[in-house]
Amino acid sequence: MSNRSRSDEFTRAEKRRAFDNNSKLLADEFPEALAFKSVPHYICESCRFVSKSKSDFNIDHVFPVARGGTRNRVGKDVNTRLHAAQQPGATGADIDAAIRLLFEVGNNAAVLCTECNSKKSDLLYVPDDCGLAYTRHVDDLNPFHMQHGPPRPQRRW
């Protein structure tokens, strides 16, 4: 049993907002992929796996609760400002302001595929070369991966 309290979990509204934002950002990233506009699709923020099934993803704490992270709820006005900074035509100043805002409000949610989420566990990062983009590449709807093949493991040393 986890030591987490229910107050550390994301509410349904917070999960829905994270998925909605993720889907909108994906559609903006690949504007030529019309399927992303007609049916919501989601992308793992680590391995970049894309699927239209929410069951392939989890909303995870960027900074783990086990290490002192919190849910840090973010209001609609903050989400609107963050979304605006990620639109085409946003200036460097807009992006810098959004990054400062993230640090101020402490947005602690990330959409991760089930595999990246399980490998991350209570770490501060997702280990290299894991995720559904590597293990289920035939199901990956990421246009870049479909054109260039699945991601390749990166050697750091």
Side-chain angles (χ1 to χ4, degrees), residues 30-152:
F30 296 104
E32 70 284 354
L34 299 177
F36 295 171
K37 292 182 183 350
S38 60
V39 175
H41 286 66
Y42 311 97
I43 188 166
C44 175
E45 295 179 25
S46 179
C47 72
R48 312 295 289 162
F49 175 81
V50 174
S51 173
K52 62 182 174 183
S53 176
K54 276 187 184 178
S55 63
D56 288 332
F57 301 93
N58 298 113
I59 307 300
D60 187 44
H61 297 89
V62 176
F63 190 69
V65 172
R67 295 185 181 225
T70 63
R71 181 179 46 207
N72 292 337
R73 292 183 173 161
V74 177
K76 187 174 182 178
D77 61 321
V78 171
N79 268 326
T80 302
R81 289 168 48 198
L82 293 174
H83 184 69
Q86 297 177 66
Q87 297 303 308
T91 67
D94 294 334
I95 295 167
D96 289 344
I99 291 170
R100 280 193 305 277
L101 181 61
L102 276 174
F103 282 112
E104 288 171 21
V105 299
N107 188 0
N108 197 23
V111 176
L112 296 178
C113 71
T114 54
E115 190 169 318
C116 284
N117 186 49
S118 69
K119 299 285 187 192
K120 180 181 177 287
S121 186
D122 65 348
L123 299 173
L124 296 174
Y125 59 91
V126 178
D128 290 336
D129 311 332
C130 71
L132 295 178
Y134 294 93
T135 60
R136 283 188 32 208
H137 53 84
V138 295
D139 299 327
D140 189 358
L141 300 176
N142 184 317
F144 185 82
H145 295 165
M146 292 171 78
Q147 184 175 3
H148 301 285
R152 291 181 176 74

